[in-house]
Short mmCIF file of all heavy atoms in Angstrom, two decimals:
data_model
loop_
_atom_site.label_atom_id
_atom_site.label_comp_id
_atom_site.label_asym_id
_atom_site.label_seq_id
_atom_site.Cartn_x
_atom_site.Cartn_y
_atom_site.Cartn_z
N PHE A 32 -80.87 -59.52 6.76
CA PHE A 32 -80.02 -60.49 7.45
C PHE A 32 -79.08 -61.25 6.51
O PHE A 32 -78.24 -62.01 6.95
CB PHE A 32 -80.84 -61.46 8.31
CG PHE A 32 -82.01 -62.08 7.65
CD1 PHE A 32 -81.87 -63.19 6.84
CD2 PHE A 32 -83.28 -61.58 7.88
CE1 PHE A 32 -82.97 -63.77 6.26
CE2 PHE A 32 -84.38 -62.16 7.29
CZ PHE A 32 -84.24 -63.26 6.47
N LEU A 69 -90.66 -70.36 5.42
CA LEU A 69 -90.43 -68.96 5.67
C LEU A 69 -90.54 -68.25 4.32
O LEU A 69 -90.05 -68.76 3.31
CB LEU A 69 -89.03 -68.76 6.24
CG LEU A 69 -88.68 -67.32 6.58
CD1 LEU A 69 -89.07 -67.03 8.02
CD2 LEU A 69 -87.21 -67.05 6.38
N PHE A 99 -89.49 -60.54 5.57
CA PHE A 99 -89.78 -61.96 5.72
C PHE A 99 -90.96 -62.16 6.66
O PHE A 99 -91.32 -61.27 7.43
CB PHE A 99 -88.56 -62.69 6.27
CG PHE A 99 -88.22 -62.28 7.68
CD1 PHE A 99 -88.63 -63.05 8.76
CD2 PHE A 99 -87.49 -61.12 7.93
CE1 PHE A 99 -88.33 -62.67 10.07
CE2 PHE A 99 -87.19 -60.74 9.22
CZ PHE A 99 -87.61 -61.51 10.28
N PHE A 100 -91.55 -63.32 6.60
CA PHE A 100 -92.69 -63.65 7.46
C PHE A 100 -92.97 -65.14 7.31
O PHE A 100 -92.38 -65.82 6.47
CB PHE A 100 -93.91 -62.83 7.07
CG PHE A 100 -94.33 -63.00 5.64
CD1 PHE A 100 -95.36 -63.86 5.30
CD2 PHE A 100 -93.66 -62.32 4.64
CE1 PHE A 100 -95.74 -64.02 3.97
CE2 PHE A 100 -94.02 -62.49 3.30
CZ PHE A 100 -95.05 -63.34 2.96
N GLY A 101 -93.86 -65.65 8.13
CA GLY A 101 -94.23 -67.06 8.05
C GLY A 101 -93.61 -67.89 9.14
O GLY A 101 -93.47 -67.42 10.27
N LEU A 103 -91.24 -69.12 11.42
CA LEU A 103 -89.93 -68.76 11.92
C LEU A 103 -89.56 -69.65 13.09
O LEU A 103 -88.39 -69.89 13.38
CB LEU A 103 -89.94 -67.30 12.35
CG LEU A 103 -88.58 -66.65 12.55
CD1 LEU A 103 -87.79 -66.70 11.27
CD2 LEU A 103 -88.77 -65.21 12.99
N SER A 104 -90.57 -70.15 13.76
CA SER A 104 -90.33 -70.94 14.97
C SER A 104 -89.60 -72.23 14.65
O SER A 104 -89.81 -72.85 13.61
CB SER A 104 -91.67 -71.25 15.64
OG SER A 104 -91.49 -72.20 16.64
N PHE A 131 -83.84 -73.24 6.41
CA PHE A 131 -83.53 -71.95 7.01
C PHE A 131 -82.74 -72.15 8.30
O PHE A 131 -81.78 -71.42 8.57
CB PHE A 131 -84.80 -71.17 7.28
CG PHE A 131 -84.55 -69.76 7.73
CD1 PHE A 131 -83.94 -68.84 6.88
CD2 PHE A 131 -84.90 -69.34 9.00
CE1 PHE A 131 -83.69 -67.54 7.29
CE2 PHE A 131 -84.64 -68.03 9.42
CZ PHE A 131 -84.04 -67.15 8.55
N VAL A 141 -75.97 -64.25 10.63
CA VAL A 141 -77.32 -64.14 10.07
C VAL A 141 -78.34 -64.32 11.19
O VAL A 141 -79.31 -63.57 11.30
CB VAL A 141 -77.54 -65.18 8.95
CG1 VAL A 141 -78.99 -65.18 8.50
CG2 VAL A 141 -76.62 -64.89 7.77
N GLY A 142 -78.10 -65.32 12.03
CA GLY A 142 -79.01 -65.58 13.14
C GLY A 142 -79.13 -64.36 14.04
O GLY A 142 -80.22 -64.00 14.47
N MET A 143 -78.00 -63.71 14.28
CA MET A 143 -78.01 -62.53 15.13
C MET A 143 -78.85 -61.42 14.51
O MET A 143 -79.62 -60.74 15.19
CB MET A 143 -76.56 -62.05 15.31
CG MET A 143 -76.31 -61.35 16.60
SD MET A 143 -76.20 -62.51 17.97
CE MET A 143 -74.49 -63.00 17.84
N ARG A 144 -78.71 -61.26 13.21
CA ARG A 144 -79.50 -60.25 12.51
C ARG A 144 -80.99 -60.55 12.59
O ARG A 144 -81.82 -59.66 12.80
CB ARG A 144 -79.10 -60.18 11.03
CG ARG A 144 -77.70 -59.68 10.79
CD ARG A 144 -77.60 -58.19 11.07
NE ARG A 144 -76.38 -57.67 10.48
CZ ARG A 144 -76.35 -57.00 9.33
NH1 ARG A 144 -77.47 -56.71 8.70
NH2 ARG A 144 -75.21 -56.58 8.83
N VAL A 145 -81.31 -61.82 12.38
CA VAL A 145 -82.72 -62.21 12.45
C VAL A 145 -83.27 -61.90 13.84
O VAL A 145 -84.36 -61.36 13.99
CB VAL A 145 -82.90 -63.71 12.11
CG1 VAL A 145 -84.33 -64.15 12.38
CG2 VAL A 145 -82.53 -63.97 10.66
N LEU A 146 -82.48 -62.23 14.85
CA LEU A 146 -82.91 -61.94 16.22
C LEU A 146 -83.19 -60.44 16.40
O LEU A 146 -84.20 -60.05 16.98
CB LEU A 146 -81.84 -62.40 17.22
CG LEU A 146 -82.13 -62.12 18.69
CD1 LEU A 146 -83.44 -62.76 19.12
CD2 LEU A 146 -80.99 -62.62 19.56
N ASP A 147 -82.30 -59.63 15.86
CA ASP A 147 -82.50 -58.18 15.96
C ASP A 147 -83.79 -57.75 15.27
O ASP A 147 -84.53 -56.91 15.79
CB ASP A 147 -81.33 -57.43 15.33
CG ASP A 147 -80.17 -57.29 16.30
OD1 ASP A 147 -80.33 -57.72 17.46
OD2 ASP A 147 -79.13 -56.75 15.91
N LEU A 148 -84.05 -58.31 14.10
CA LEU A 148 -85.24 -57.92 13.36
C LEU A 148 -86.51 -58.32 14.11
O LEU A 148 -87.48 -57.56 14.18
CB LEU A 148 -85.23 -58.56 11.97
CG LEU A 148 -84.17 -57.98 11.02
CD1 LEU A 148 -84.06 -58.84 9.77
CD2 LEU A 148 -84.51 -56.55 10.65
N VAL A 149 -86.49 -59.54 14.65
CA VAL A 149 -87.67 -60.00 15.38
C VAL A 149 -87.86 -59.15 16.63
O VAL A 149 -88.98 -58.78 16.99
CB VAL A 149 -87.57 -61.50 15.73
CG1 VAL A 149 -88.75 -61.94 16.59
CG2 VAL A 149 -87.52 -62.33 14.46
N THR A 150 -86.77 -58.82 17.30
CA THR A 150 -86.85 -57.95 18.47
C THR A 150 -87.46 -56.60 18.08
O THR A 150 -88.28 -56.05 18.81
CB THR A 150 -85.44 -57.73 19.08
OG1 THR A 150 -84.87 -59.00 19.38
CG2 THR A 150 -85.52 -56.89 20.35
N GLY A 151 -87.05 -56.12 16.93
CA GLY A 151 -87.61 -54.86 16.44
C GLY A 151 -89.11 -54.96 16.21
O GLY A 151 -89.87 -54.04 16.54
N ARG A 152 -89.54 -56.08 15.70
CA ARG A 152 -90.98 -56.25 15.48
C ARG A 152 -91.73 -56.35 16.79
O ARG A 152 -92.85 -55.87 16.91
CB ARG A 152 -91.24 -57.50 14.64
CG ARG A 152 -90.84 -57.29 13.20
CD ARG A 152 -91.49 -58.30 12.30
NE ARG A 152 -90.91 -58.19 10.97
CZ ARG A 152 -91.03 -59.11 10.02
NH1 ARG A 152 -91.73 -60.21 10.28
NH2 ARG A 152 -90.49 -58.93 8.84
N LEU A 153 -91.08 -56.99 17.77
CA LEU A 153 -91.71 -57.07 19.09
C LEU A 153 -91.89 -55.67 19.66
O LEU A 153 -92.94 -55.33 20.20
CB LEU A 153 -90.84 -57.92 20.03
CG LEU A 153 -91.37 -58.10 21.45
CD1 LEU A 153 -92.74 -58.75 21.46
CD2 LEU A 153 -90.39 -58.93 22.28
N GLU A 154 -90.87 -54.87 19.47
CA GLU A 154 -90.96 -53.49 19.95
C GLU A 154 -92.11 -52.76 19.26
O GLU A 154 -92.90 -52.08 19.90
CB GLU A 154 -89.62 -52.79 19.69
CG GLU A 154 -89.40 -51.53 20.48
CD GLU A 154 -90.20 -50.36 19.92
OE1 GLU A 154 -90.11 -50.11 18.70
OE2 GLU A 154 -90.92 -49.70 20.70
N ALA A 155 -92.22 -52.96 17.96
CA ALA A 155 -93.30 -52.31 17.21
C ALA A 155 -94.66 -52.79 17.69
O ALA A 155 -95.60 -51.99 17.82
CB ALA A 155 -93.13 -52.60 15.71
N ALA A 156 -94.77 -54.08 17.97
CA ALA A 156 -96.04 -54.62 18.45
C ALA A 156 -96.38 -54.00 19.80
O ALA A 156 -97.54 -53.66 20.07
CB ALA A 156 -95.96 -56.14 18.57
N HIS A 157 -95.38 -53.83 20.66
CA HIS A 157 -95.62 -53.20 21.96
C HIS A 157 -96.07 -51.76 21.79
O HIS A 157 -96.94 -51.28 22.52
CB HIS A 157 -94.35 -53.29 22.81
CG HIS A 157 -94.13 -54.63 23.42
ND1 HIS A 157 -93.02 -54.94 24.17
CD2 HIS A 157 -94.88 -55.75 23.39
CE1 HIS A 157 -93.11 -56.20 24.58
NE2 HIS A 157 -94.22 -56.71 24.12
N LEU B 103 -81.85 -56.41 24.57
CA LEU B 103 -81.62 -57.60 23.77
C LEU B 103 -81.03 -57.23 22.42
O LEU B 103 -80.34 -58.02 21.79
CB LEU B 103 -82.95 -58.33 23.59
CG LEU B 103 -82.85 -59.78 23.13
CD1 LEU B 103 -82.05 -60.59 24.11
CD2 LEU B 103 -84.25 -60.35 22.98
N SER B 104 -81.32 -56.01 22.00
CA SER B 104 -80.90 -55.59 20.67
C SER B 104 -79.38 -55.51 20.56
O SER B 104 -78.68 -55.16 21.50
CB SER B 104 -81.51 -54.22 20.36
OG SER B 104 -80.92 -53.68 19.20
N VAL B 145 -83.11 -68.42 22.00
CA VAL B 145 -83.51 -67.04 22.28
C VAL B 145 -84.43 -66.54 21.17
O VAL B 145 -85.47 -65.93 21.42
CB VAL B 145 -82.29 -66.11 22.42
CG1 VAL B 145 -82.72 -64.66 22.50
CG2 VAL B 145 -81.48 -66.49 23.64
N LEU B 146 -84.05 -66.86 19.93
CA LEU B 146 -84.90 -66.46 18.80
C LEU B 146 -86.30 -67.03 18.94
O LEU B 146 -87.30 -66.33 18.74
CB LEU B 146 -84.26 -66.92 17.49
CG LEU B 146 -85.05 -66.61 16.21
CD1 LEU B 146 -85.32 -65.13 16.08
CD2 LEU B 146 -84.31 -67.14 14.98
N ASP B 147 -86.39 -68.29 19.32
CA ASP B 147 -87.69 -68.91 19.49
C ASP B 147 -88.50 -68.22 20.58
O ASP B 147 -89.71 -68.00 20.44
CB ASP B 147 -87.54 -70.39 19.87
CG ASP B 147 -87.35 -71.26 18.64
OD1 ASP B 147 -87.38 -70.71 17.53
OD2 ASP B 147 -87.16 -72.48 18.80
N LEU B 148 -87.83 -67.87 21.67
CA LEU B 148 -88.54 -67.23 22.77
C LEU B 148 -89.06 -65.85 22.37
O LEU B 148 -90.19 -65.48 22.68
CB LEU B 148 -87.63 -67.10 24.00
CG LEU B 148 -87.30 -68.43 24.68
CD1 LEU B 148 -86.19 -68.23 25.70
CD2 LEU B 148 -88.54 -69.00 25.35
N VAL B 149 -88.22 -65.10 21.65
CA VAL B 149 -88.65 -63.77 21.22
C VAL B 149 -89.79 -63.88 20.21
O VAL B 149 -90.76 -63.12 20.26
CB VAL B 149 -87.47 -62.97 20.63
CG1 VAL B 149 -87.94 -61.63 20.08
CG2 VAL B 149 -86.40 -62.75 21.68
N THR B 150 -89.68 -64.86 19.33
CA THR B 150 -90.77 -65.11 18.38
C THR B 150 -92.06 -65.41 19.12
O THR B 150 -93.13 -64.92 18.75
CB THR B 150 -90.41 -66.29 17.45
OG1 THR B 150 -89.17 -66.01 16.80
CG2 THR B 150 -91.50 -66.50 16.40
N GLY B 151 -91.96 -66.21 20.17
CA GLY B 151 -93.12 -66.52 20.99
C GLY B 151 -93.72 -65.28 21.61
O GLY B 151 -94.95 -65.11 21.66
N ARG B 152 -92.88 -64.38 22.05
CA ARG B 152 -93.39 -63.13 22.64
C ARG B 152 -94.05 -62.26 21.59
O ARG B 152 -95.04 -61.59 21.86
CB ARG B 152 -92.26 -62.36 23.31
CG ARG B 152 -91.85 -63.01 24.60
CD ARG B 152 -91.06 -62.07 25.48
NE ARG B 152 -90.50 -62.81 26.59
CZ ARG B 152 -89.55 -62.35 27.38
NH1 ARG B 152 -89.05 -61.14 27.17
NH2 ARG B 152 -89.12 -63.07 28.38
N LEU B 153 -93.49 -62.28 20.38
CA LEU B 153 -94.10 -61.53 19.29
C LEU B 153 -95.50 -62.07 19.01
O LEU B 153 -96.45 -61.30 18.85
CB LEU B 153 -93.23 -61.62 18.03
CG LEU B 153 -93.75 -60.88 16.80
CD1 LEU B 153 -93.91 -59.39 17.08
CD2 LEU B 153 -92.82 -61.08 15.60
N GLU B 154 -95.61 -63.38 19.03
CA GLU B 154 -96.91 -63.99 18.80
C GLU B 154 -97.88 -63.56 19.90
O GLU B 154 -99.04 -63.20 19.62
CB GLU B 154 -96.74 -65.51 18.78
CG GLU B 154 -97.89 -66.27 18.16
CD GLU B 154 -99.08 -66.34 19.08
OE1 GLU B 154 -98.93 -66.73 20.24
OE2 GLU B 154 -100.19 -66.00 18.62
N HIS B 157 -99.04 -60.09 19.33
CA HIS B 157 -100.03 -60.03 18.27
C HIS B 157 -101.39 -60.49 18.77
O HIS B 157 -102.43 -59.92 18.41
CB HIS B 157 -99.57 -60.88 17.08
CG HIS B 157 -98.54 -60.22 16.23
ND1 HIS B 157 -97.94 -60.84 15.17
CD2 HIS B 157 -98.00 -58.98 16.29
CE1 HIS B 157 -97.08 -60.01 14.60
NE2 HIS B 157 -97.09 -58.88 15.29
#
Side-chain angles (χ1 to χ4, degrees):
Chain A
F32 49 82
L69 181 90
F99 66 98
F100 57 99
L103 196 60
S104 169
F131 188 65
V141 173
M143 209 76 84
R144 293 288 196 101
V145 172
L146 178 58
D147 276 357
L148 290 169
V149 175
T150 304
R152 287 199 189 164
L153 180 59
E154 198 284 310
H157 282 177
Chain B
L103 197 59
S104 169
V145 172
L146 178 57
D147 276 358
L148 290 169
V149 175
T150 304
R152 286 198 190 166
L153 180 59
E154 197 284 309
H157 282 176

